[in-house]
Amino acid sequence: MKTVQELKENCCGCSACYSVCPQKAISMAEDEHGFCYPNIDETKCVDCGLCRKACQFSNTKQNSEDIQRFFAIKHKDRSIVRNSQSGGAFTLFSDWILEQNGVVYGARLNTSSLTISHERAKSTKERDSLKASKYVQSTMNDIFASVANDLKAGRFVFFTGTPCQCDGLLSFLDLKRINREEKLYTADLICHGVPSQKMFKSFVAWNEKKYKSKVANFLFREKYKYPWGKHIEKISFENGRTIYTDWYANIFYNDCSLRDSCFNCSYATSVRNTDITFADFWGIGKCRPEMNDRFGCSSLIVHNLKGLDLLGKIRDNAIVSEVSKDDLVTPQPHLHGSAKKPDDYETFWKDYKELNFGQFLQKHSFNTVTFANALKTIFIRCAKFPFRVARKLLRILHVLK
């Protein structure tokens, strides 16, 4: 079957090739792991070469880093921070776009089908459904064409996604000769890599069978019961039950579930083609302790003057502190290089195919959020309490002397 890239490691699934094809000869089809790749219908293809030109993943050219600047950023509204994944950066920037009657694009979890796709939002209510991290590769469908239509209509557009999705959009717009300099703002994420929707659906189905109810909502990282920095998922069921687990998080972090291209990613650097990059600010307690609390803080990398201008537009609603490159980049391993393909990668997917999902989880993941572990945590805290009190008393005595 004819495709755009012969090697899977050279295709990130951004869908730029699908979107740019003038003959509609390309479809995005799932492979055995659940990742989408372009298939070309040779009866429709006229061999124009646009699909290969649109593919930026294997031909990435990064912007200059001459004007890069690094920031810690939080929304001034504490309620927005509490209801955001980290410091509320996405809300800050998207609010300004919506105030200009613009539109926002990002990944949404469809709670009825529990699938993740990129969607368009033109109100704060619609935008709020795009908030929070989703550790799954989103389906793009015809979203690039929708962005193009909004730009041609003169709307401001704020597009968020993984760095490869953003670069795919920029390539598509350039090939379509659509002016993106004035109205389009792009924001990517510091990306660990993406698991497939097939893997996520298997995990959801296993929970539904185990708890005998349909999953009503899935929060990939909650920070009310557990503080920011812990990766605990909250799963709500239609029968009213709620559970907390890190089964899925630990599948994600063992790297075997990632797409092949994630091990060959040229975007795993602080230099990007977008206007801004935001993510959680790991290590904020060391460089800006006054901005560190249990609800989190966002990091922000500004890549160009356009991004710096956008930061100026939202600054009145934000707590912003400029930091050094080392402060922001050093704690982020995926700004230093791609994920490494694990030695048991093939075994992982073989077991996924052959074992029932419960057996597969027991072999390749673990759940730290159990009653036994909760008791263990309480025991450790109680055991440490007298020593903590003693240390404080010694400090007080030392000051009094």
Side-chain angles (χ1 to χ4, degrees), residues 171-281:
S171 175
F172 164 79
L173 294 173
D174 288 346
L175 286 170
K176 290 290 187 180
R177 298 182 180 179
I178 294 169
N179 182 0
R180 59 180 175 86
E181 294 303 320
E182 296 179 12
K183 298 286 188 175
L184 175 67
Y185 292 94
T186 53
D188 64 8
L189 316 166
I190 300 174
C191 181
H192 180 97
V194 288
S196 71
Q197 298 220 28
K198 186 176 183 180
M199 176 65 69
F200 176 62
K201 287 177 183 177
S202 295
F203 181 69
V204 168
W206 177 75
N207 276 284
E208 290 179 340
K209 183 178 180 181
K210 181 178 180 180
Y211 294 102
K212 298 180 175 59
S213 178
K214 295 286 290 181
V215 170
N217 197 20
F218 193 106
L219 187 59
F220 288 84
R221 272 174 53 203
E222 78 89 41
K223 62 176 188 181
Y224 277 90
K225 186 176 175 67
Y226 296 89
W228 174 71
K230 286 186 175 292
H231 190 144
I232 307 297
E233 52 249 11
K234 177 183 178 182
I235 309 175
S236 304
F237 296 87
E238 289 183 354
N239 63 7
R241 184 167 190 164
T242 297
I243 66 165
Y244 298 87
T245 169
D246 57 356
W247 276 118
Y248 185 79
N250 291 316
I251 292 176
F252 173 62
Y253 285 119
N254 76 11
D255 289 348
C256 286
S257 66
L258 305 185
R259 189 182 180 100
D260 279 311
S261 60
C262 297
F263 308 117
N264 181 42
C265 181
S266 59
Y267 300 102
T269 171
S270 62
V271 184
R272 303 285 177 86
N273 292 331
T274 49
D275 301 309
I276 59 175
T277 295
F278 50 65
D280 298 273
F281 201 131

Side-chain angles (χ1 to χ4, degrees), residues 74-95 127-128 131 223-224 295-296 298 317:
K74 298 180 80 154
H75 204 293
K76 284 183 177 178
D77 188 330
R78 297 286 294 167
S79 65
I80 291 176
V81 174
R82 285 194 292 270
N83 288 290
S84 300
Q85 199 69 83
S86 47
F90 172 70
T91 301
L92 278 164
F93 291 107
S94 57
D95 270 348
R127 184 277 315 277
D128 286 349
K131 291 167 65 172
K223 62 176 188 181
Y224 277 90
F295 292 110
S298 298
N317 296 317

Side-chain angles (χ1 to χ4, degrees), residues 140-164:
M140 302 304 287
N141 298 317
D142 295 312
I143 218 70
F144 287 1
S146 179
V147 171
N149 289 335
D150 281 324
L151 291 174
K152 286 189 284 188
R155 287 177 175 268
F156 278 102
V157 174
F158 186 55
F159 183 91
T160 63
T162 62
C164 56

Side-chain angles (χ1 to χ4, degrees), residues 52-69:
R52 288 182 289 277
K53 289 179 181 178
C55 183
Q56 290 297 294
F57 186 79
S58 57
N59 189 33
T60 307
K61 295 176 182 177
Q62 302 288 14
N63 285 339
S64 167
E65 60 177 326
D66 290 345
I67 57 170
Q68 264 198 335
R69 292 174 67 178

Side-chain angles (χ1 to χ4, degrees), residues 70-72 190-192 228-229 253 268-270 272 279-288 292 297-301 323-337:
F70 303 83
F71 300 90
I190 300 174
C191 181
H192 180 97
W228 174 71
Y253 285 119
T269 171
S270 62
R272 303 285 177 86
D280 298 273
F281 201 131
W282 305 130
I284 186 64
K286 292 182 179 179
C287 65
R288 295 291 184 274
N292 185 35
C297 181
S298 298
S299 63
L300 176 69
I301 306 175
V323 299
S324 72
K325 180 177 180 179
D326 285 345
D327 286 337
L328 192 154
V329 172
T330 300
Q332 290 283 2
H334 293 277
L335 292 181
H336 302 279

